[in-house]
Amino acid sequence: MKTALITGATSGIGKSTAIALAKHNINLILCGRRKERLLELQQELSKVVKVHTLSFDVRDKDKVFEAIASLPSEFNKIDILINNAGNAHGLDPIQTGRVDDWDAMIDINVKGLLYVSKVVIPKMIEQKSGHIINIGSIAGKEVYPNGNIYCASKHAVDAINKGMLIDLNQYGIRVGAIHPGLVETEFSNVRFKGDDERADNVYKGFDPLKPEDIADIIAFVVTRPYHVNISDLIVLPTAQASATVLNKSL
Ligand code: NDP
Ligand code: 8X3
């Protein structure tokens, strides 16, 4: 049986991915800051597969390294890494953007992803196998008004994904990114700092992606035969044609 480590498993895409991978009999290491949510999900999914939880903030390099080093031996072989933890913080023009928001997005979406990968990649190299899925965004392919630093962080994920694919090729490690468009999760609640009405409005008037849609695709990607690597995938709701073109009548 394979084991997957999922960051950001307390909510949205990460949580749905945990549920989807459990259905494929993949053991799980669930990560996130909110311990209670991790434990709840562990309780639910332990009926199906083995589940271990690790609570840490991906911004804290030492905590990331400590947490992954603490894995019990039965979870020490990580076959699949889902680099999913991340959020947007704010939606402001560059001239009035808050430095704290910029720090959060660069530290979580870019540096956090790197810290987790830094610990997991050597394990995969030693195993001579592994599969890394990086969750990017349509914001990593295009820049939209006021998206500036979030888009920059996701463009970085796109570049890191391509770099990993090249550098890890010699070790037989599969690497791929999934770039979703609008998915209805807690993403906008975080972006708008708890202004739930504003967050809800983002997904009104069209049929957004659900986190389960992305989770199904991740499950598909990681269950392909070994010679198949899906390296770059953009997934949009049908109503969305680009980061800025959204048909709200669909
Ligand atoms: P959610 O807000 O629902 O989930 C975000 C997850 O990231 C949570 O589990 C959260 O866990 C975790 N996380 C956030 N900050 C940290 C941190 N500092 N340390 C550890 N974990 C952290 O949003 P989504 O599910 O939508 O987002 C998941 C990924 O998908 C993100 O990378 C996002 O950029 C990307 N994405 C989302 C899209 C969307 O429209 N929703 C579209 C394209 C990409 P906790 O708070 O418990 O730590
Ligand atoms: C999340 C999608 O369009 O809000 O990455 O940036 S978007």
Side-chain angles (χ1 to χ4, degrees):
M1 265 173 91
K2 289 191 172 175
T3 298
L5 185 150
I6 306 174
T7 66
T10 55
S11 164
I13 294 169
K15 180 177 177 182
S16 294
T17 301
I19 296 167
L21 296 192
K23 288 185 187 144
H24 286 272
N25 275 320
I26 295 172
N27 293 328
L28 299 166
I29 302 162
L30 305 176
C31 308
R33 289 167 301 180
R34 287 169 288 182
K35 246 186 211 161
E36 297 247 309
R37 286 192 184 203
L38 288 175
L39 295 176
E40 240 173 67
L41 191 59
Q42 180 181 34
Q43 204 167 29
E44 182 188 331
L45 298 181
S46 294
K47 293 170 194 151
V48 189
V49 290
K50 285 187 198 157
V51 183
H52 189 80
T53 63
L54 293 176
S55 172
F56 58 86
D57 186 326
V58 295
R59 281 174 291 197
D60 188 333
K61 195 179 356 192
D62 295 334
K63 288 279 178 342
V64 172
F65 296 166
E66 267 168 39
I68 299 176
S70 78
L71 282 171
S73 57
E74 60 176 338
F75 287 94
N76 208 20
K77 181 171 181 284
I78 298 168
D79 303 286
I80 300 163
L81 166 62
I82 315 282
N83 273 325
N84 164 74
N87 276 117
H89 293 266
L91 182 67
D92 300 300
I94 194 81
Q95 62 276 19
T96 55
R98 294 178 37 169
V99 172
D100 285 352
D101 287 340
W102 297 351
D103 282 342
M105 290 185 278
I106 301 290
D107 290 350
I108 299 167
N109 303 356
V110 183
K111 291 166 71 181
L113 180 150
L114 287 173
Y115 298 154
V116 173
S117 305
K118 179 74 183 158
V119 203
V120 175
I121 287 170
K123 293 176 185 291
M124 291 182 167
I125 289 178
E126 210 182 310
Q127 293 158 204
K128 291 198 167 44
S129 71
H131 197 161
I132 302 173
I133 306 287
N134 295 307
I135 304 301
S137 170
I138 187 67
K141 299 289 187 181
E142 298 172 45
V143 178
Y144 54 83
N146 306 324
N148 45 64
I149 308 307
Y150 178 66
C151 295
S153 75
K154 289 298 182 178
H155 275 67
V157 172
D158 189 35
I160 291 165
N161 180 67
K162 289 174 180 153
M164 283 183 179
L165 179 63
I166 294 165
D167 295 348
L168 300 178
N169 170 267
Q170 62 183 308
Y171 302 108
I173 295 171
R174 289 190 275 181
V175 178
I178 295 171
H179 301 279
L182 290 152
V183 191
E184 190 167 11
T185 62
E186 293 174 22
F187 177 87
S188 290
N189 306 80
V190 174
R191 167 170 255 176
F192 300 128
K193 304 171 199 300
D195 182 343
D196 294 340
E197 202 181 323
R198 191 174 175 198
D200 290 347
N201 276 332
V202 173
Y203 308 105
K204 276 198 182 136
F206 74 106
D207 208 357
L209 291 170
K210 295 174 184 57
E212 295 82 3
D213 297 321
I214 301 301
D216 278 353
I217 290 164
I218 293 173
F220 177 82
V221 169
V222 302
T223 53
R224 290 314 82 211
Y226 176 67
H227 67 284
V228 179
N229 182 44
I230 297 171
S231 65
D232 203 38
L233 198 59
I234 296 176
V235 185
L236 302 173
T238 302
Q240 185 177 16
S242 76
T244 50
V245 176
L246 184 62
N247 186 343
K248 285 234 176 191
S249 66
L250 277 184

